Amino acid sequence: MPGAIATVRDARGRVRTYVAGTARIGTDAPVDPRSRVRIASNTKMFTATVVLQLVEEGLVDLDAPVERYLPGVVRGSGNDGRDITVRELLQQRSGLPDYDSLVVAAGGSLSAVRHTYFEPRELLDAALAEPPHFRPGSRWEYSNTNYVVLGLLVQRVTGRPVSEEITRRVVRPLRLRDTYWPGVGEQRLRGPHPRGYLADAPGEPWQDSTVMDPSLGWAAGQLVSTPADLGRFMQGLLGGELLPGDLLQQMMRGVRAPGFDADPGWRYGLGLASHHLGCGVTAWGHGGDIQGFETRNLATADGRWAVVTVTALPTSLDVVAEVSDSVEDLVCAS
């Protein structure tokens, strides 16, 4: 990996940030410890938190069909919002296909869609053009489409953009000053940041992917943050600053999630995943991959957390495992 940033909170509450590598290939420029990065699917934790806040407010029922909130929206090729509950969307048990066909149609590589802007409805329509992968509730399978639907649900229920709701309900209360939702068409990262890199295949040269349109992720993966802010978010979430105890417990309670990460044994709750670590504790987090950056993160119930970002998207599961293992090592050593 060209560069890495790791921020750790230990059992005594001390927060430290470490950096390694270079901020730009071909130079000796150091990685700024204050660097902002694209946190990709870690966005799902934020989206899920907002949905659960709407549940607390009585505006959403976890076990109601999504059809109640988005009538006629989730329909096509056998996919049917009348049969899919909000809880199944949050827990990745809806059976909705992912919208990978958008990347395939552009040539099959993430670099081909780096500068393409997608409307959320385009993402959903691409997914609904394919038949469901299984009957809702019968299996677990990761699909970004679930969180695109949840983003649309938030907007329909609140009457405001999901970006605004995440900012108002999560980012500002926790004072995450380096976390923001890129505006429509915004491709450059604000503030200090390293370059992020992408290779189309193992062994291929790194391409600078720092400037890119993150709309392919939307409510499933559009946020920008720092490892320190992301750790603070997890600390606040698990510490009860964002949700009442009963909903937090439901969020943390997971089902088996085969293939969620390179290491086996993960469980997936309501937008929050858990793993039993080698040092005997259970930790929660998510992780995210996007053109240019990969971030892995874990937090424990006693307030420890670690976030590691590398500045290129790994091209093999072995490297993914090494990044994930480094987070586990940091949590266990703290």
Side-chain angles (χ1 to χ4, degrees):
M1 296 288 103
I5 311 162
T7 303
V8 188
R9 185 179 194 267
D10 66 20
R12 287 187 281 181
R14 297 177 300 181
V15 177
R16 301 175 182 179
T17 295
Y18 307 87
V19 295
T22 178
R24 183 173 184 173
I25 289 176
T27 75
D28 295 326
V31 178
D32 192 321
R34 303 167 300 158
S35 289
R36 294 171 174 176
V37 299
R38 302 188 192 278
I39 62 171
S41 285
N42 284 297
T43 302
K44 292 180 175 69
M45 294 189 289
F46 291 72
T47 301
T49 298
V50 170
V51 172
L52 291 170
Q53 288 177 345
L54 296 174
V55 171
E56 178 191 5
E57 294 163 15
L59 299 175
V60 173
D61 183 339
L62 275 175
D63 296 307
V66 68
E67 179 78 7
R68 178 184 297 181
Y69 309 104
L70 296 170
V73 171
V74 184
R75 299 278 182 88
S77 306
N79 300 285
D80 195 331
R82 292 171 293 188
D83 301 325
I84 299 168
T85 67
V86 176
R87 187 188 301 272
E88 288 164 347
L89 292 170
L90 286 163
Q91 202 159 42
Q92 307 275 15
R93 294 188 300 122
S94 72
L96 290 174
D98 217 326
Y99 43 85
D100 301 330
S101 58
L102 291 172
V103 177
V104 174
S109 71
L110 287 172
S111 59
V113 295
R114 205 175 88 213
H115 300 300
T116 303
Y117 172 74
F118 294 98
E119 286 285 350
R121 184 69 213 213
E122 288 182 77
L123 307 178
L124 181 57
D125 285 347
L128 295 178
E130 302 177 26
H133 286 187
F134 51 85
R135 179 173 51 83
S138 65
R139 283 175 46 195
W140 184 91
E141 183 181 81
Y142 195 86
S143 174
N144 289 301
T145 307
N146 291 316
Y147 278 76
V148 170
V149 175
L150 289 166
L152 294 171
L153 180 151
V154 167
Q155 295 191 154
R156 181 67 63 88
V157 170
T158 64
R160 301 302 307 165
V162 65
S163 57
E164 182 180 305
E165 290 299 305
I166 286 174
T167 302
R168 182 175 70 85
R169 293 169 173 271
V170 180
V171 174
R172 287 179 185 156
L174 293 181
R175 299 180 181 178
L176 307 180
R177 294 183 177 89
D178 292 306
T179 301
Y180 69 92
W181 184 286
V184 173
E186 184 176 357
Q187 298 195 65
R188 296 185 180 277
L189 288 168
R190 307 173 198 169
H193 61 271
R195 297 298 180 104
Y197 296 92
L198 172 71
D200 286 332
E204 293 291 315
W206 291 123
Q207 305 171 42
D208 190 331
S209 298
T210 316
V211 178
M212 56 88 68
D213 193 309
S215 58
L216 187 65
W218 197 55
Q222 189 158 331
L223 278 173
V224 171
S225 188
T226 62
D229 263 14
L230 185 52
R232 173 70 185 101
F233 163 74
M234 293 190 300
Q235 178 186 337
L237 178 62
L238 296 185
E241 297 180 52
L242 297 171
L243 294 171
D246 60 330
L247 284 175
L248 179 59
Q249 287 302 310
Q250 291 190 63
M251 190 182 196
M252 297 169 70
R253 192 178 306 126
V255 297
R256 289 183 64 254
F260 173 70
D261 201 56
D263 293 327
W266 285 85
R267 300 183 70 83
Y268 202 94
L270 306 183
L272 189 63
S274 64
H275 199 241
H276 192 70
L277 309 187
C279 54
V281 301
T282 297
W284 288 264
H286 199 284
D289 301 71
I290 196 169
Q291 296 99 310
F293 300 97
E294 177 176 82
T295 300
R296 292 291 183 269
N297 42 281
L298 289 169
T300 64
D302 62 7
R304 291 178 285 161
W305 51 259
V307 182
V308 174
T309 294
V310 292
T311 62
L313 194 59
T315 56
S316 73
L317 283 178
D318 288 343
V319 179
V320 174
E322 288 176 2
V323 178
S324 297
D325 290 347
S326 71
V327 179
E328 178 174 342
D329 290 345
L330 288 167
V331 171
C332 287
S334 64

